Amino acid sequence: MELNNLPLYIEIAIAVFVLIIIAWYVHDKYVQRDHQLLVNYPIIGRLRFVLEELREPFRQYFGDEKFYESKDKLDWVAKASRNLPNYSSFSPSQPLPVPKFMIRHANIVLNEDEVDTEFSVTFGENRKKPYVSKSIISRSAMSDGSISPEGTRAFVIGANEGKFPINSGEGGLTSNFFITHQNYDKKYMKMVEGTKFQIVVRDIVKKLFNGALAIDAYRKMIFKKDPEAETYIFDLKTKIFHRPDWEAPLENFPKDVPEDMPDIILQVSSGLYSVRTKDGKFDPVRYQKVMRFCKMTELKIAQGAKQTGGKLTAEKVSPAIAYYRNVEAHKDLFSPNRFPFANSVEELFDFVGQMQNLSEKPVGIKIVISDYENIIPLVEEIKKRIEAGNDAYPDFISIDSGSGGSATAPIEMMERIGLDIKDSVYLVDKVLKDYGIRDKIKVVASGKLLTPDDIVIILSLGADFVQIARGFMMSAGCIRARYCSGTNGHDCPVGLATQNKNKRKKYFVHKQAKKVEHYHNNLLKGIRGLLAVMGLKNVNQLNKHRIMFLDKDSRVHDNIDKVFGRILDIGKDMEDEFHESR
């Protein structure tokens, strides 16, 4: 077709397009002064920005996995969360790199039905209310705030159905942790119900569309523009909105954790969220109220991905999050680096003792290990107190890996501070044994643990219990787009780690909760399978003699102490401050 025979509207469109290109070219080359590249390469230079934008969400689909040991491990999580058969054909798609730990098998293996299904761990045996977990696996600390309300509910439902603990994260105990709690007493709950007309509208919307949309419409009709509307949970049983009434007197709260709630580990960070007054001081009575719904407390002294305090950007500090944390909405919420009661080891342990007395439950600390000086002063103080008959010391020590994850952390700190979790666990276990107090303290491990073999190896190195974050995130729908922080102009595309209502409102809470439950159950199933080929009936039989080490030269070592003697060539800088002070 000749150009002069084109319809008029097409000629106009072409002319407009040409004018836009010319204007764009002039702008990039002569007007804008933000990007040096565009001055020399107008228009075409923008392709770089497009590719850079696509790199993060799409990088995982091309080439071998670089962050985890193998893409097969990520595939295992995906299949486990869907409760699909987890078998591989012919060979691994990406063999595990060396050096690596190997698992010793037995000549006479067991059938899986001969392996115990008991995976409990007892924390705080000497406390008035010890915590006996139903699993050796917990969902690690992820705050309601960093995680969307819908995401938090999915994790809570999954944990309750799967019978495993869930760590609250430093955001503390929020209304979303009560999503499974239906047998409550109005003495400690605030309840709100709509009018008959509003109830009819809700039911009509549910019939025409779906339950989630109906509840959202019902909430808007009842609360209108109340900024705290989202702090109320809709009870599917009573059809009433409710939230804990933290102003109610302590005696109104249940004496024991309600049976229809999961086992919650309350994490308290330097910001003291959910146990603080408005001016940021520790509130003993509020802490006691919160602990009526939690099994034990973890004080976050350090985190592997960042040694700074927790960071929640303004985009995520919604009115609901501000209510939960007793802070101002829509402002950056950066916790102090140092825990307020940790100016010395003695002060920290005294505060631990105070919390143990207030809650009558176990209290532990979360730390990161870089050297002996990160553990020896703590262990020495524990031993000193035990010998003095003073039980104000941590019931457990949670160790986070230097490669631990975070939604918002300074990149310069990630993987630069803290040892790998295997090195850290071995070191802590060794020091506790050297001081003769290993039986007094439970060791909890976290950091890049995804699959059953990861857990078997870390338990063999000395851990009693593990906490997993990234694995549970992936089971709940995370696609590793790395948009969790919300600081780069993007939000979590699946609605799991964002406060963007348009994204998170479409998150499938109950469907993802089922995947979370499946992931946990298949972890335990896989552990039992490994124990069977190791000839072990119980997970407590795991120790360092059950594993070997294959070094980078393919030499096999069965003396794990000697292996770590070479890997951990530390504690020999006799001129550092730690050794000089001793």
Side-chain angles (χ1 to χ4, degrees):
M1 182 183 292
E2 296 182 5
L3 186 63
N4 56 4
N5 292 330
L6 289 174
L8 180 61
Y9 70 90
I10 292 181
E11 291 182 2
I12 292 174
I14 292 173
V16 170
F17 177 75
V18 171
L19 287 174
I20 290 174
I21 293 296
I22 293 172
W24 197 358
Y25 179 92
V26 171
H27 173 270
D28 282 0
K29 191 170 185 68
Y30 300 107
V31 179
Q32 71 84 28
R33 285 299 178 265
D34 293 328
H35 302 288
Q36 181 69 57
L37 180 68
L38 296 183
V39 175
N40 294 324
Y41 299 94
I43 302 178
I44 192 68
R46 292 181 179 272
L47 184 60
R48 178 186 187 280
F49 307 136
V50 174
L51 295 175
E52 185 73 18
E53 193 68 28
L54 294 175
R55 179 179 183 275
E56 279 306 312
F58 288 100
R59 76 190 190 290
Q60 60 185 304
Y61 306 116
F62 305 99
D64 287 344
E65 173 63 29
K66 299 297 184 184
F67 185 69
Y68 291 102
E69 290 178 305
S70 168
K71 174 68 163 58
D72 295 301
K73 298 180 84 67
L74 302 178
D75 293 340
W76 190 94
V77 174
K79 289 181 179 178
S81 62
R82 290 168 173 79
N83 211 24
L84 297 174
N86 234 321
Y87 303 110
S88 182
S89 300
F90 192 69
S91 67
S93 62
Q94 184 182 345
L96 295 176
V98 292
K100 63 182 177 181
F101 284 91
M102 304 289 290
I103 294 171
R104 284 180 161 181
H105 73 283
N107 283 335
I108 308 299
V109 299
L110 301 177
N111 294 320
E112 287 190 30
D113 60 3
E114 296 177 287
V115 180
D116 290 348
T117 56
E118 176 71 27
F119 285 98
S120 66
V121 180
T122 302
F123 294 86
E125 293 177 351
N126 298 322
R127 304 299 160 198
K128 186 174 181 179
K129 296 180 180 179
Y131 171 46
V132 181
S133 72
K134 301 179 184 72
S135 174
I136 52 170
I137 303 165
S138 169
R139 192 213 71 169
S140 194
M142 291 187 279
S143 301
D144 187 357
S146 179
I147 302 297
S148 67
E150 291 76 13
T152 299
R153 291 171 202 160
F155 282 126
V156 171
I157 295 169
N160 190 56
E161 294 297 319
K163 308 301 179 187
F164 62 90
I166 179 171
N167 190 309
S168 73
E170 68 175 274
L173 191 68
T174 68
S175 300
N176 294 305
F177 284 89
F178 291 80
I179 186 68
T180 62
H181 184 32
Q182 296 182 327
N183 299 318
Y184 49 81
D185 192 320
K186 63 181 181 181
K187 290 192 297 184
Y188 61 84
M189 280 288 184
K190 282 186 177 180
M191 292 176 284
V192 179
E193 188 174 12
T195 62
K196 290 184 178 179
F197 172 74
Q198 291 168 337
I199 293 172
V200 170
V201 172
R202 180 198 70 201
D203 293 341
I204 291 174
V205 173
K206 183 178 179 180
K207 287 183 178 180
L208 293 176
F209 300 98
N210 58 62
L213 196 62
I215 293 170
D216 192 39
Y218 189 43
R219 187 191 301 272
K220 289 177 180 177
M221 286 188 292
I222 292 176
F223 295 101
K224 298 180 173 61
K225 294 184 178 181
D226 185 348
E228 295 181 3
E230 290 197 327
T231 64
Y232 288 86
I233 297 297
F234 184 71
D235 187 339
L236 292 173
K237 179 181 176 183
T238 63
K239 312 298 184 186
I240 294 175
F241 285 103
H242 68 286
R243 75 178 186 191
D245 181 5
W246 299 115
E247 301 301 321
L250 180 61
E251 56 267 23
N252 285 10
F253 287 79
K255 301 296 183 185
D256 298 306
V257 176
E259 292 183 1
D260 57 1
M261 292 185 71
D263 292 353
I264 300 170
I265 302 169
L266 176 71
Q267 188 180 81
V268 178
S269 73
S270 57
L272 302 176
Y273 305 127
S274 94
V275 296
R276 60 180 263 165
T277 59
K278 192 72 175 177
D279 58 353
K281 300 291 192 303
F282 176 61
D283 186 341
V285 176
R286 175 64 179 266
Y287 173 63
Q288 286 181 296
K289 293 176 183 177
V290 168
M291 288 308 296
R292 296 295 176 90
F293 304 102
C294 302
K295 294 291 188 176
M296 63 181 187
T297 305
E298 178 185 80
L299 301 184
K300 178 183 170 184
I301 308 303
Q303 180 180 346
K306 54 177 180 271
Q307 299 302 296
T308 62
K311 301 183 185 305
L312 202 63
T313 56
E315 291 83 356
K316 285 192 168 184
V317 187
S318 65
I321 298 305
Y323 165 80
Y324 296 140
R325 302 195 184 195
N326 224 346
V327 297
E328 196 170 342
H330 306 304
K331 287 189 176 182
D332 287 342
L333 186 57
F334 293 173
S335 302
N337 289 349
R338 186 175 66 252
F339 194 81
F341 301 97
N343 296 297
S344 67
V345 175
E346 293 80 7
E347 182 187 22
L348 173 61
F349 285 9
D350 288 343
F351 185 66
V352 166
Q354 181 185 354
M355 300 189 90
Q356 288 164 337
N357 291 332
L358 287 169
S359 67
E360 300 180 332
K361 297 177 181 180
V363 177
I365 58 174
K366 180 178 182 177
I367 62 173
V368 176
I369 302 294
S370 289
D371 203 341
Y372 280 109
E373 63 187 276
N374 299 121
I375 185 61
I376 286 181
L378 301 174
V379 173
E380 287 181 338
E381 182 63 21
I382 293 172
K383 184 176 178 65
K384 175 182 167 185
R385 293 189 175 217
I386 290 174
E387 291 175 344
N390 181 354
D391 65 353
Y393 58 83
D395 296 293
F396 63 93
I397 297 176
S398 293
I399 310 164
D400 201 12
S401 162
S403 55
S406 174
T408 312
I411 189 64
E412 63 271 17
M413 290 188 183
M414 284 187 167
E415 301 208 352
R416 285 290 186 186
I417 300 176
L419 298 175
D420 178 83
I421 191 58
K422 300 181 188 72
D423 303 329
S424 300
V425 166
Y426 174 84
L427 188 64
V428 170
D429 180 67
K430 180 181 182 300
V431 171
L432 287 169
K433 286 177 178 175
D434 288 347
Y435 280 79
I437 58 171
R438 180 63 182 88
D439 61 323
K440 304 293 184 183
I441 308 294
K442 289 292 187 290
V443 175
V444 180
S446 63
K448 290 179 77 171
L449 304 174
L450 282 184
T451 53
D453 52 311
D454 294 334
I455 297 173
V456 165
I457 288 169
I458 207 67
L459 293 177
S460 297
L461 290 172
D464 299 298
F465 187 82
V466 300
Q467 297 196 82
I468 298 175
R470 292 184 181 112
F472 276 112
M473 283 289 288
M474 286 184 268
S475 74
C478 170
I479 62 170
R480 300 196 302 151
R482 301 207 304 181
Y483 290 157
C484 317
S485 68
T487 59
N488 52 11
H490 299 280
D491 298 305
C492 170
V494 298
L496 174 59
T498 180
Q499 295 301 315
N500 182 322
K501 290 185 180 181
N502 290 330
K503 293 280 198 324
R504 63 180 179 80
K505 287 293 183 183
K506 299 162 188 171
Y507 183 78
F508 300 148
V509 173
H510 292 277
K511 180 178 180 179
Q512 301 295 3
K514 207 67 186 172
K515 291 182 180 179
V516 169
E517 178 189 355
H518 288 327
Y519 174 57
H520 168 263
N521 292 345
N522 281 306
L523 280 173
L524 293 186
K525 179 182 176 181
I527 292 170
R528 290 183 70 221
L530 287 172
L531 290 175
V533 300
M534 296 171 78
L536 305 178
K537 292 197 172 197
N538 190 281
V539 70
N540 294 323
Q541 293 176 277
L542 288 171
N543 57 51
K544 61 189 176 184
H545 305 295
R546 303 294 183 176
I547 56 176
M548 299 180 297
F549 184 74
L550 180 67
D551 68 21
K552 61 183 178 62
D553 298 317
S554 295
R555 287 194 296 263
V556 181
H557 307 268
D558 64 356
N559 189 319
I560 299 301
D561 289 323
K562 286 188 176 181
V563 168
F564 280 100
R566 286 190 293 270
I567 296 175
L568 296 174
D569 190 22
I570 58 177
K572 298 177 181 178
D573 182 5
M574 306 309 292
E575 296 180 3
D576 66 2
E577 293 179 1
F578 173 65
H579 285 95
E580 286 185 351
S581 65
R582 297 169 69 81

